[in-house]
Amino acid sequence: WIQLGGHTGQFHVFFCCGTIMKLCDDKSLELNSYRKIQSDPMCNICPKFFHHVERNGQTYIELEDLLQYFTDPNVMDIKMGTRTFLESEVTNDTCRVDLYDKMIKICPKEPTEEEHGKKAVTKLRYMQFRERMSSTANLGFRIEAIRLQGQSPNNNLKTTRKRDEVMQFITEHFMKGNKLICEKFLRRLRHIKVCLESSEYFKSHEFIGSSLLFVYDELNEANVWLIDFAKTQSTPNMDHRKEWCCGNHEDGYLTGLDNIISVSLCVCVC
Ligand code: ATP
Ligand code: MG
Ligand code: MG
């Protein structure tokens, strides 16, 4: 089994029955999402959800292992949306030294003079910096991590930012110019779009930090699923394409999906 994102210890994989167990957060947002998705068109584009179990005071959800259908697969985790933090996570205007340190590691020139003076930045400032450094802000998605056949995962791609760079990376490095794979991905992405646009659940929730998991192998099996609903919460009348301003909760998910479809389309026709 291959885990691209998340923390180690978050998953238990049961190879015999084709399922994984994912640890839930305190509020069990992900468990609630999977429960509600079962009676929505979204259930066709997410891993199957079986049940939840309590173990040592912690809640786990048992999900379909999406990699079981593949042999030594190529896997890519694309984090969706133009916003990667919950509004409730950034109301705090405390300046943090740890986030300043992380910021200067990525880009020493980024902090303002005032921030350099304090050697600290707010969480909002840091998160928006990360969104601008990656393709999140301009494309509504970013390559979070990738694993190629026979190799170990690479999650050092968060500064791949420009449309051309992202496209080249996905088409040449991940899909290796394979048009058949690309067509399968494209067909599935269009199906995902139809499902989401007809989903009541999608319309009434913001999707923060959620991913599309792309998987294919040398037998030309290929598929894409939605995963990671740990920060998915109820918000009425979402558009998913409008720009975010604090209070409207917009996440830019469909903006990202439109863009990733157009990137895949370019590979197919090139
Ligand atoms: P983070 O919030 O840091 O992204 P997380 O702990 O919420 O991580 P996920 O994003 O759900 O965890 O999953 C982490 C990784 O585990 C994914 O990138 C993927 O590689 C793998 N993974 C998750 N769910 C499945 C699944 N159902 N089948 C196969 N692989 C999975
Ligand atoms: Mg994730
Ligand atoms: Mg997560």
Side-chain angles (χ1 to χ4, degrees), residues 75-251:
V75 191
M76 177 170 68
D77 181 312
I78 296 274
K79 193 161 272 197
M80 297 299 288
T82 47
R83 179 164 59 95
T84 54
F85 51 85
L86 290 171
E87 291 188 3
S88 58
E89 288 179 301
V90 295
T91 45
N92 189 337
D93 49 15
T94 312
C95 289
R96 288 173 48 181
V97 177
D98 59 328
L99 298 181
Y100 170 85
D101 288 342
K102 281 188 183 181
M103 184 184 266
I104 55 170
K105 243 188 210 165
I106 303 171
C107 182
K109 288 191 189 145
E110 177 63 23
T112 60
E113 259 176 46
E114 195 189 336
E115 288 164 348
H116 274 308
K118 286 191 203 155
K119 295 201 177 308
V121 295
T122 63
K123 181 152 183 188
L124 176 61
R125 171 80 172 93
Y126 176 73
M127 296 303 274
Q128 290 191 316
F129 158 71
R130 285 292 306 278
E131 290 172 355
R132 273 190 290 107
M133 289 304 288
S134 70
S135 56
T136 291
N138 59 333
L139 293 179
F141 71 85
R142 75 173 176 228
I143 309 163
E144 191 69 2
I146 180 176
R147 185 265 178 187
L148 297 176
Q149 183 183 17
Q151 297 182 15
S152 41
N154 172 4
N155 58 10
N156 199 14
L157 297 157
K158 290 166 195 136
T159 53
T160 309
R161 185 173 62 85
K162 290 189 192 142
R163 191 186 169 89
D164 287 357
E165 277 170 4
V166 173
M167 196 156 104
Q168 190 181 10
F169 188 87
I170 294 180
T171 58
E172 290 175 24
H173 194 68
F174 180 63
M175 296 187 200
K176 301 200 167 63
N178 185 329
K179 290 199 177 175
L180 178 62
I181 295 297
C182 184
E183 275 162 20
K184 287 191 176 180
F185 282 145
L186 190 58
R187 211 173 307 134
R188 176 70 166 173
L189 289 169
R190 287 178 166 149
H191 174 66
I192 287 174
K193 188 168 162 178
V194 170
C195 282
L196 292 180
E197 286 179 337
S198 66
S199 160
E200 275 307 313
Y201 186 80
F202 190 64
K203 176 104 195 109
S204 57
H205 287 77
E206 60 183 304
F207 283 69
I208 300 299
S210 181
S211 287
L212 288 177
L213 194 71
F214 287 70
V215 193
Y216 79 92
D217 66 11
E218 62 183 3
L219 301 173
N220 286 333
E221 287 296 328
N223 216 333
V224 187
W225 292 269
L226 275 74
I227 60 163
D228 201 354
F229 307 118
K231 290 186 181 176
T232 295
Q233 53 183 33
S234 171
T235 307
N237 279 325
M238 289 285 294
D239 178 74
H240 297 288
R241 282 193 181 91
K242 277 190 191 144
E243 208 167 307
W244 175 66
C245 56
C246 201
N248 78 358
H249 291 270
E250 286 295 342
D251 56 14

Side-chain angles (χ1 to χ4, degrees), residues 51-84:
H51 61 166
H52 76 282
V53 289
E54 305 285 342
R55 226 176 256 171
N56 303 327
Q58 293 193 299
T59 306
Y60 292 80
I61 47 176
E62 186 164 5
L63 302 173
E64 174 186 21
D65 173 10
L66 301 170
L67 302 189
Q68 66 185 294
Y69 312 110
F70 301 86
T71 316
D72 194 8
N74 301 279
V75 191
M76 177 170 68
D77 181 312
I78 296 274
K79 193 161 272 197
M80 297 299 288
T82 47
R83 179 164 59 95
T84 54

